[in-house]
Coordinates of all heavy atoms in Angstrom, one line a residue:
H153 N 16.8 4.4 -16.4 CA 15.6 4.4 -15.6 C 14.6 3.5 -16.3 O 13.9 3.9 -17.2 CB 15.0 5.8 -15.4 CG 13.9 5.9 -14.4 ND1 13.6 7.1 -13.7 CD2 13.0 5.0 -14.0 CE1 12.6 6.9 -12.9 NE2 12.2 5.6 -13.1
R154 N 14.6 2.3 -15.8 CA 13.7 1.3 -16.5 C 12.6 0.8 -15.6 O 12.8 0.6 -14.4 CB 14.5 0.1 -16.9 CG 15.7 0.4 -17.9 CD 16.4 -0.8 -18.3 NE 17.5 -0.5 -19.2 CZ 18.8 -0.9 -19.0 NH1 19.1 -1.7 -17.9 NH2 19.7 -0.6 -19.9
N155 N 11.4 0.8 -16.1 CA 10.2 0.2 -15.4 C 9.8 -1.1 -16.2 O 9.9 -1.1 -17.4 CB 9.0 1.1 -15.5 CG 9.1 2.4 -14.6 OD1 8.2 3.2 -14.6 ND2 10.3 2.6 -14.0
P156 N 9.3 -2.1 -15.5 CA 8.9 -3.3 -16.2 C 7.8 -3.0 -17.2 O 7.8 -3.4 -18.3 CB 8.4 -4.3 -15.1 CG 8.4 -3.5 -13.8 CD 9.1 -2.2 -14.0
E157 N 6.8 -2.2 -16.8 CA 5.7 -1.8 -17.7 C 4.9 -0.6 -17.1 O 5.0 -0.4 -15.9 CB 4.8 -2.9 -18.0 CG 4.1 -3.5 -16.8 CD 3.4 -4.8 -17.1 OE1 3.5 -5.3 -18.2 OE2 2.7 -5.3 -16.2
V158 N 4.1 0.1 -17.9 CA 3.3 1.1 -17.4 C 1.9 1.0 -18.0 O 1.7 0.2 -18.9 CB 3.8 2.5 -17.9 CG1 5.1 2.9 -17.1 CG2 4.0 2.6 -19.4
G159 N 0.9 1.7 -17.4 CA -0.5 1.6 -17.8 C -0.7 2.2 -19.2 O 0.2 2.9 -19.7
T160 N -1.9 1.9 -19.8 CA -2.1 2.4 -21.1 C -2.4 3.9 -21.2 O -2.4 4.5 -22.2 CB -3.3 1.7 -21.7 OG1 -4.4 1.7 -20.7 CG2 -3.0 0.2 -22.1
N161 N -2.6 4.5 -20.0 CA -2.8 6.0 -20.0 C -1.5 6.8 -19.9 O -1.4 8.0 -19.9 CB -3.8 6.4 -18.9 CG -3.2 6.1 -17.5 OD1 -2.3 5.3 -17.4 ND2 -3.7 6.7 -16.5
Y162 N -0.4 6.1 -19.8 CA 1.0 6.7 -19.7 C 1.4 7.1 -21.1 O 1.4 6.3 -22.0 CB 1.9 5.7 -19.1 CG 3.3 6.2 -18.8 CD1 3.8 6.4 -17.5 CD2 4.3 6.4 -19.9 CE1 5.1 6.8 -17.2 CE2 5.6 6.8 -19.6 CZ 5.9 7.0 -18.3 OH 7.2 7.4 -18.0
N163 N 1.7 8.4 -21.3 CA 2.1 8.8 -22.6 C 3.5 9.4 -22.7 O 4.2 9.5 -21.7 CB 1.0 9.8 -23.1 CG 0.9 11.0 -22.2 OD1 1.8 11.3 -21.5 ND2 -0.2 11.7 -22.2
T164 N 3.9 9.9 -23.9 CA 5.3 10.4 -24.1 C 5.7 11.5 -23.1 O 6.8 11.3 -22.5 CB 5.4 10.8 -25.6 OG1 5.1 9.7 -26.4 CG2 6.8 11.3 -25.9
P165 N 5.0 12.6 -22.9 CA 5.5 13.6 -21.9 C 5.6 13.0 -20.5 O 6.5 13.5 -19.7 CB 4.4 14.6 -21.9 CG 3.5 14.4 -23.1 CD 3.7 13.0 -23.5
M166 N 4.9 11.9 -20.1 CA 5.0 11.4 -18.8 C 6.4 10.7 -18.6 O 6.8 10.6 -17.4 CB 3.9 10.4 -18.5 CG 2.5 11.1 -18.3 SD 1.1 9.9 -18.3 CE 1.2 9.3 -16.7
A167 N 7.0 10.3 -19.7 CA 8.4 9.8 -19.5 C 9.3 10.8 -18.8 O 10.3 10.5 -18.2 CB 8.9 9.4 -20.9
V168 N 8.9 12.1 -19.0 CA 9.7 13.2 -18.4 C 9.1 13.5 -17.0 O 9.7 13.4 -16.0 CB 9.7 14.5 -19.2 CG1 10.3 15.6 -18.5 CG2 10.4 14.3 -20.6
H169 N 7.8 13.9 -17.0 CA 7.1 14.4 -15.8 C 7.0 13.3 -14.7 O 7.1 13.7 -13.5 CB 5.7 14.9 -16.1 CG 5.7 16.2 -16.9 ND1 6.3 17.3 -16.3 CD2 5.2 16.5 -18.1 CE1 6.2 18.3 -17.2 NE2 5.5 17.8 -18.3
D170 N 6.8 12.0 -15.0 CA 6.6 11.0 -14.0 C 7.9 10.3 -13.7 O 8.1 9.8 -12.6 CB 5.6 10.0 -14.5 CG 4.2 10.4 -14.1 OD1 3.9 11.5 -14.3 OD2 3.5 9.5 -13.7
T171 N 8.7 10.1 -14.7 CA 9.8 9.1 -14.6 C 11.1 9.8 -14.5 O 11.8 9.8 -13.5 CB 9.7 8.1 -15.8 OG1 8.4 7.5 -15.8 CG2 10.8 7.1 -15.8
A172 N 11.6 10.5 -15.6 CA 12.9 11.1 -15.6 C 13.0 12.3 -14.6 O 14.1 12.7 -14.2 CB 13.3 11.7 -17.0
I173 N 11.9 12.7 -14.0 CA 11.9 13.8 -13.0 C 12.8 13.4 -11.9 O 13.4 14.3 -11.3 CB 10.4 14.1 -12.6 CG1 10.3 15.4 -11.9 CG2 9.9 13.0 -11.7 CD1 10.3 16.6 -12.8
H174 N 12.9 12.1 -11.5 CA 13.8 11.7 -10.4 C 15.3 12.0 -10.8 O 16.0 12.5 -10.0 CB 13.6 10.2 -10.1 CG 12.3 9.9 -9.5 ND1 12.0 10.4 -8.2 CD2 11.3 9.2 -9.9 CE1 10.8 9.9 -7.9 NE2 10.3 9.3 -8.9
E175 N 15.6 11.6 -12.1 CA 17.0 11.9 -12.5 C 17.3 13.4 -12.6 O 18.3 13.9 -12.2 CB 17.3 11.3 -13.9 CG 17.8 9.8 -13.8 CD 16.6 8.8 -13.5 OE1 15.5 9.2 -13.6 OE2 16.9 7.7 -13.2
I176 N 16.2 14.1 -13.1 CA 16.4 15.6 -13.2 C 16.8 16.2 -11.9 O 17.7 17.0 -11.7 CB 15.0 16.2 -13.7 CG1 14.8 15.9 -15.1 CG2 15.1 17.7 -13.5 CD1 13.4 16.3 -15.7
D177 N 16.1 15.7 -10.8 CA 16.5 16.3 -9.5 C 17.8 15.7 -9.0 O 18.7 16.5 -8.6 CB 15.4 16.0 -8.4 CG 15.9 16.5 -7.1 OD1 16.0 17.8 -7.0 OD2 16.2 15.8 -6.2
V178 N 18.0 14.4 -9.0 CA 19.1 13.8 -8.2 C 20.5 14.0 -8.9 O 21.5 14.2 -8.3 CB 18.8 12.3 -8.0 CG1 19.2 11.4 -9.1 CG2 19.6 11.9 -6.7
L179 N 20.5 14.1 -10.3 CA 21.8 14.1 -11.0 C 22.5 15.5 -10.8 O 23.7 15.5 -10.6 CB 21.6 13.8 -12.4 CG 21.0 12.3 -12.6 CD1 20.9 12.0 -14.1 CD2 21.9 11.3 -11.9
H180 N 21.8 16.6 -10.9 CA 22.5 17.9 -10.7 C 22.9 18.1 -9.3 O 24.0 18.6 -9.0 CB 21.7 19.1 -11.2 CG 20.7 19.6 -10.3 ND1 21.0 20.7 -9.4 CD2 19.4 19.3 -10.0 CE1 19.9 21.0 -8.7 NE2 18.9 20.1 -9.0
W181 N 22.1 17.5 -8.3 CA 22.5 17.5 -6.9 C 23.8 16.7 -6.7 O 24.7 17.0 -6.0 CB 21.4 16.9 -6.1 CG 21.7 16.6 -4.7 CD1 21.7 17.4 -3.6 CD2 21.9 15.2 -4.2 NE1 22.0 16.7 -2.5 CE2 22.1 15.4 -2.8 CE3 22.0 14.0 -4.8 CZ2 22.4 14.2 -2.0 CZ3 22.3 12.9 -4.0 CH2 22.5 13.0 -2.6
L182 N 23.8 15.5 -7.4 CA 25.0 14.6 -7.3 C 26.3 15.3 -7.7 O 27.3 15.1 -7.0 CB 24.7 13.4 -8.2 CG 25.4 12.1 -8.0 CD1 25.1 11.5 -6.6 CD2 25.0 11.1 -9.1
V183 N 26.2 16.0 -8.8 CA 27.5 16.6 -9.3 C 27.6 18.1 -9.0 O 28.5 18.8 -9.4 CB 27.6 16.4 -10.9 CG1 27.8 14.9 -11.2 CG2 26.5 17.0 -11.6
D184 N 26.6 18.6 -8.2 CA 26.7 19.9 -7.7 C 26.8 20.9 -8.8 O 27.8 21.7 -8.9 CB 27.8 20.1 -6.7 CG 27.7 21.3 -5.8 OD1 26.6 21.9 -5.8 OD2 28.6 21.8 -5.2
D185 N 25.8 20.9 -9.7 CA 25.9 21.7 -10.9 C 24.5 22.1 -11.4 O 23.5 21.6 -10.8 CB 26.6 20.9 -12.0 CG 27.2 21.7 -13.1 OD1 26.9 22.9 -13.2 OD2 28.0 21.1 -13.9
E186 N 24.3 23.0 -12.3 CA 23.0 23.3 -12.8 C 22.9 22.9 -14.3 O 23.9 22.9 -15.0 CB 22.8 24.8 -12.7 CG 22.9 25.4 -11.3 CD 21.8 25.0 -10.4 OE1 20.7 24.6 -10.9 OE2 22.0 25.1 -9.2
Y187 N 21.7 22.7 -14.8 CA 21.5 22.3 -16.2 C 21.5 23.5 -17.1 O 21.0 24.6 -16.7 CB 20.1 21.5 -16.4 CG 20.1 20.3 -15.6 CD1 19.1 20.1 -14.6 CD2 21.0 19.3 -15.7 CE1 19.0 18.9 -13.9 CE2 21.0 18.1 -15.0 CZ 19.9 17.9 -14.1 OH 19.9 16.8 -13.4
E188 N 22.0 23.2 -18.3 CA 22.0 24.3 -19.3 C 21.1 24.0 -20.5 O 20.4 24.8 -21.0 CB 23.5 24.5 -19.8 CG 23.7 25.6 -20.7 CD 25.1 25.7 -21.1 OE1 25.5 25.0 -22.1 OE2 25.9 26.4 -20.5
S189 N 21.2 22.7 -21.0 CA 20.3 22.4 -22.1 C 19.9 20.9 -22.1 O 20.5 20.1 -21.4 CB 21.1 22.7 -23.4 OG 22.2 21.8 -23.5
A190 N 18.9 20.7 -23.0 CA 18.3 19.3 -23.0 C 18.0 18.9 -24.4 O 17.7 19.7 -25.3 CB 16.9 19.4 -22.2
Q191 N 18.1 17.6 -24.7 CA 17.8 17.0 -26.0 C 17.2 15.6 -25.8 O 17.5 15.0 -24.7 CB 19.1 16.9 -26.8 CG 18.9 16.6 -28.2 CD 20.2 16.4 -29.0 OE1 21.3 16.6 -28.4 NE2 20.1 16.1 -30.2
V192 N 16.3 15.2 -26.7 CA 15.8 13.8 -26.5 C 15.9 13.1 -27.9 O 15.6 13.6 -28.9 CB 14.3 13.9 -26.1 CG1 13.8 12.4 -26.0 CG2 14.1 14.6 -24.8
I193 N 16.5 11.9 -27.8 CA 16.6 11.1 -29.0 C 15.6 9.9 -28.9 O 15.5 9.3 -27.8 CB 18.1 10.6 -29.1 CG1 19.0 11.8 -29.4 CG2 18.2 9.5 -30.2 CD1 20.4 11.5 -29.4
M194 N 14.9 9.7 -30.0 CA 13.9 8.6 -30.0 C 14.4 7.4 -30.8 O 14.4 7.5 -32.0 CB 12.6 9.2 -30.6 CG 12.0 10.4 -29.9 SD 11.4 9.9 -28.3 CE 10.6 11.4 -27.8

Side-chain angles (χ1 to χ4, degrees):
H153 188 153
R154 300 181 181 130
N155 290 182
E157 61 192 5
V158 287
T160 48
N161 62 344
Y162 185 106
N163 58 24
T164 299
M166 287 169 80
V168 174
H169 287 301
D170 272 43
T171 304
I173 198 78
H174 289 293
E175 274 77 13
I176 289 174
D177 178 67
V178 82
L179 299 180
H180 83 93
W181 166 82
L182 199 62
V183 295
D184 197 15
D185 202 347
E186 301 291 342
Y187 298 122
E188 186 179 88
S189 65
Q191 192 184 358
V192 180
I193 292 171
M194 300 292 187

